[in-house]
């Protein structure tokens, strides 16, 4: 019997990388290295399919530090699987959402590297999308483009303008188009601004790039010069090498980039970012009522965890989010539970918290009677609410991380799980800790 998680007898699918189930973290068992695999649905025979196949061939020949390398292609009559370099990092929009707006100097440095990648791809007839979601920032300092644009005429750098705006303003611009990144249900990933704002050194360039009139937008050479004037000196030599390149720079608008993903263009999704250092969140001294657990994280946050944004109640004080694609293999499905228990006083909440800690430390079976193996026994998490702990366990069918904390007279339990008996990259731990942080931030706004 063939292994359903082994593609082409060589690539083991380990973890889904996007909400649509078309991008995966995988392991090349022949070369013993991590890769990203993206499924590309081919359009019917015709110009669009021919263009897409040409883009894939051009991508295979491109070697540039700012573009994810294509290692291999697995072909079928109606689709292809692209085997791509595995890149560690987070998208620009994830970085801004987590850490806040970037400095003008850092944004300019990123802009120069994006411009280099776009130019290198264009010289080989390969179009890249440069949106806040497709610009990936790696831990070793690379800036990598991970999306392919659609075959429509564009002839401007408006996407780059939207990306720079997001970097320095911390929100997406209202460009009058569909360029604002959105979730699958249409919810914007960031609240649109009324228009270009700010008075920093990049403001005139960004405003020009976002101009509704293409005639008022700067060309690639002017963009490069403007960015070099603002970027740190260390970034200038990197971009200066490409100044002698010739030819117009053509990229598509962000809306068509998103459409291309659905139609078949490949997309390398970033790995989850490491949790930020813990910073105490100010919380109410007491909660007059137990908060609704279903309202403690947003639709956007649920989607970030590869979950259906719409939760379901599972009894008083308990809410669940499940994987939004039940067609995925079992080890690629995720679930989240949040439970809130309100006590009449902080002292009683402490007693309840202590009881939960003892029960979790001694738990040997699941509620359905399956043997439970504690892979990480409960361990205190300092700096989170009044007191907190985390634990990890598996019943050999699923693997989960639980985070429990007490805030005043409230005890909150968060559990994030995936299918399978292991968690090789610590994904459940990172997701559970991140969810706990989101819950704390929601509770800090409670009145």
């Amino acid at each position: 019997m063939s292994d359903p998680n082994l593609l082409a007898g060589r690539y083991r699918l380990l973890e889904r990388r996007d909400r649509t189930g078309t991008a995966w973290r995988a392991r090349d068992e022949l070369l013993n290295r991590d890769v990203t695999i993206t499924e590309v649905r081919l359009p019917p025979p015709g110009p669009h399919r021919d263009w897409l196949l040409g883009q894939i061939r051009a991508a295979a020949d491109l070697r540039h530090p700012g573009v994810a390398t294509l290692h291999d292609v697995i072909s079928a009559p109606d689709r292809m699987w692209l085997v791509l370099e595995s890149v560690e990092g987070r998208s620009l929009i994830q970085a801004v959402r987590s850490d806040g707006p970037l400095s003008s100097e850092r944004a300019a440095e990123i802009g120069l590297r994006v411009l280099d990648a776009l130019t290198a791809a264009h010289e080989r007839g390969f179009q890249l999308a440069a949106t806040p979601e497709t610009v990936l920032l790696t831990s070793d300092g690379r800036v990598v483009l991970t999306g392919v644009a659609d075959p429509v005429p564009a002839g401007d750098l408006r996407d780059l303008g939207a990306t720079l705006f997001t970097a320095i303003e911390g929100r997406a611009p209202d460009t009058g188009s569909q360029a604002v990144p959105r979730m699958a249900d249409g919810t914007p990933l960031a609240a649109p601004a009324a228009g270009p704002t700010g008075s920093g050194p990049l403001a005139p360039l960004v405003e020009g790039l976002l101009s509704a009139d293409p005639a008022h937008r700067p060309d690639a050479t002017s963009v490069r010069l403007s960015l070099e004037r603002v970027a740190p000196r260390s970034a200038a030599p990197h971009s200066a090498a490409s100044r002698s390149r010739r030819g117009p720079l053509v990229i598509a608008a962000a809306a068509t980039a998103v459409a291309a993903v659905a139609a078949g263009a490949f997309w390398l999704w970033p790995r989850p970012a490491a949790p930020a250092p813990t910073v105490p969140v100010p919380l109410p001294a007491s909660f007059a009522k137990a908060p609704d657990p279903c309202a403690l994280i947003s639709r956007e946050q649920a989607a970030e965890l590869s979950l259906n944004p719409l939760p379901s109640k599972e009894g008083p004080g308990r809410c669940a989010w499940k994987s939004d694609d039940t067609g995925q293999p079992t080890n690629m499905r995720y679930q989240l539970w949040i439970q809130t228990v309100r006590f009449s006083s902080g002292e009683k909440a402490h007693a309840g918290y202590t009881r939960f800690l003892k029960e979790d430390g001694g738990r040997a079976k699941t509620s359905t009677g399956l043997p439970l193996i504690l892979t990480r026994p409960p361990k205190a998490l300092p700096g989170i609410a009044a007191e907190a702990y985390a634990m990890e366990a598996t019943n050999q069918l699923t693997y989960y991380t639980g985070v429990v904390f007490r805030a005043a007279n409230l005890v909150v339990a968060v559990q994030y799980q995936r299918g399978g008996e292991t968690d090789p990259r610590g994904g459940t731990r990172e997701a559970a800790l991140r969810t706990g942080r989101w819950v704390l931030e929601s509770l800090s706004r409670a009145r």
Side-chain angles (χ1 to χ4, degrees), residues 350-397:
H350 170 71
Y353 168 87
T354 303
R355 185 173 66 254
F356 295 156
L357 175 60
K358 182 178 179 180
E359 290 174 354
D360 279 340
R363 198 179 302 277
K365 292 184 178 181
T366 68
S367 59
T368 57
L370 291 175
L372 191 68
I373 302 169
L374 287 179
T375 58
R376 288 176 180 254
K379 182 178 179 180
L381 295 174
I384 298 180
E387 48 194 340
Y389 69 88
M391 61 168 291
E392 295 179 37
T394 179
N395 60 14
Q396 297 184 308
L397 296 177

Side-chain angles (χ1 to χ4, degrees), residues 2 37 42 78 98 134 163 174 196 219 289 303 345 350 393 416 425:
S2 61
I37 292 181
L42 295 174
D78 63 341
S98 173
T134 64
T163 297
D174 180 5
D219 59 20
K289 61 179 182 179
S345 67
H350 170 71
Y416 185 82
R425 293 282 177 153

Side-chain angles (χ1 to χ4, degrees), residues 1-13 29 329 331:
M1 181 176 178
S2 61
D3 187 339
N5 292 320
L6 197 63
L7 184 63
R10 172 176 174 178
Y11 302 104
R12 183 166 300 281
L13 304 179
E29 297 196 338
N331 69 326

Side-chain angles (χ1 to χ4, degrees), residues 276-357:
T278 300
V279 177
V281 175
L283 296 167
S286 180
F287 292 87
K289 61 179 182 179
D292 179 2
C294 293
L296 291 177
I297 68 169
S298 67
R299 288 187 173 192
E300 174 188 329
Q301 290 165 340
E304 279 190 34
L305 301 177
S306 300
L307 301 168
N308 189 319
L310 299 177
S312 59
K313 288 271 191 180
E314 292 204 343
R318 185 174 169 88
C319 196
W321 291 257
K322 297 185 179 180
S323 175
D324 55 2
D325 186 355
T326 56
Q328 294 292 345
T330 302
N331 69 326
M332 305 298 167
R333 299 180 192 173
Y334 305 89
Q335 296 187 64
L336 170 70
W337 288 270
I338 298 177
Q339 182 176 7
T340 58
V341 182
R342 178 187 171 275
F343 295 84
S344 58
S345 67
E347 291 76 12
K348 291 184 178 180
H350 170 71
Y353 168 87
T354 303
R355 185 173 66 254
F356 295 156
L357 175 60

Side-chain angles (χ1 to χ4, degrees), residues 410-424:
L410 190 70
V411 175
V412 178
V414 171
Q415 180 176 311
Y416 185 82
Q417 84 173 34
R418 59 166 291 171
E421 61 180 296
T422 62
D423 187 27

